[in-house]
Amino acid sequence: MKNLGTAHLARGALGKALTYLTKALQADIAVYGPSSLVTARTLNNLGYAYLEIKKYDKALQRFEQALDIRLNLLGERHTEVAKVVKNMGHVHLGRGDPDRALRYYQKALSIEQESSESRGEVALTKLYLGRAAREVGDLQRAKKLFQAAATEFGVRFGTWHPLATEAEEAAEQLSEEIYRQTWSPGDNE
């Protein structure tokens, strides 16, 4: 059921994903218990499905449950903890609270930077941090984060990769916006 749920989630069939993931959660709890890593993974996937349909309260509830389990079993500096923390940042950004999203993304980045396993995740988190920084109006920080993400994606996947391109374009747009904000008519004389 879990595989069907995650497959439907990946395809964007969110109603079916929710149905299968809810059934999978019940089965995971029955087989592995309410505090297992298997249950935490399903809770995280279920939270992501709720996030995709903008049911932020339900998403956050599932992410918090997954986080509690992962913290208890893995400790606070594990990459699996960072994944849930990052998803919680998505919830807050979706709710229109980029300041809170920034805090969650920064925490996830801090964890990921300590692990050699999460190099691609670091670039992705920098992209998310850039988006949140742009939302709060910290354009210089956002530009630096987008540039760093573009570089890391480019090194890891190639400069043609869609995420590298997205980050590079975002940095260029911010450069233009920063220039427009700082330029004055007398600068051309």
Side-chain angles (χ1 to χ4, degrees):
M1 279 186 270
K2 185 182 320 184
N3 290 341
L4 284 172
T6 54
H8 285 298
L9 183 59
R11 285 187 31 234
L14 301 174
K16 287 183 179 181
L18 283 168
T19 299
Y20 283 111
L21 288 170
T22 300
K23 289 178 182 179
L25 178 62
Q26 294 167 350
D28 289 347
I29 291 170
V31 173
Y32 302 104
S35 299
S36 72
L37 287 176
V38 173
T39 300
R41 187 171 297 118
T42 303
L43 284 164
N44 189 55
N45 288 339
L46 193 53
Y48 200 82
Y50 282 122
L51 173 66
E52 289 293 308
I53 60 172
K54 298 180 180 2
K55 292 196 177 223
Y56 299 121
D57 290 337
K58 287 187 176 194
L60 193 57
Q61 178 186 26
R62 295 305 187 198
F63 291 144
E64 286 171 347
Q65 291 171 313
L67 182 62
D68 285 343
I69 294 168
R70 287 180 176 178
L71 285 171
N72 287 329
L73 297 176
L74 303 171
E76 46 179 65
R77 305 308 293 172
H78 196 280
T79 56
E80 291 298 312
V81 169
K83 289 177 185 178
V84 180
V85 170
K86 190 180 334 185
N87 286 341
M88 293 169 85
H90 297 333
V91 168
H92 294 296
L93 193 60
R95 281 181 163 172
D97 189 353
D99 287 310
R100 185 171 281 177
L102 271 170
R103 290 192 296 273
Y104 280 90
Y105 291 147
Q106 191 61 56
K107 183 174 182 176
L109 180 64
S110 171
I111 297 167
E112 292 167 351
Q113 287 177 322
E114 293 176 5
S115 171
S116 60
E117 300 172 9
S118 54
R119 296 300 353 143
E121 289 296 317
V122 168
L124 193 56
T125 303
K126 287 181 180 178
L127 180 67
Y128 297 143
L129 267 164
R131 290 175 182 167
R134 180 178 53 203
E135 289 294 314
V136 298
D138 191 347
L139 303 185
Q140 290 290 348
R141 180 178 182 202
K143 177 184 161 188
K144 288 178 186 173
L145 287 161
F146 285 136
Q147 288 170 330
T151 300
E152 290 180 37
F153 282 130
V155 167
R156 188 159 177 88
F157 304 115
T159 56
W160 50 266
H161 191 277
L163 291 171
T165 304
E166 177 187 342
E168 186 62 38
E169 288 174 357
E172 289 173 10
Q173 289 171 350
L174 283 174
S175 290
E176 291 171 13
E177 189 172 335
I178 292 165
Y179 175 77
R180 282 192 307 273
Q181 287 180 359
T182 59
W183 181 84
S184 67
D187 289 346
N188 230 6
E189 297 172 7

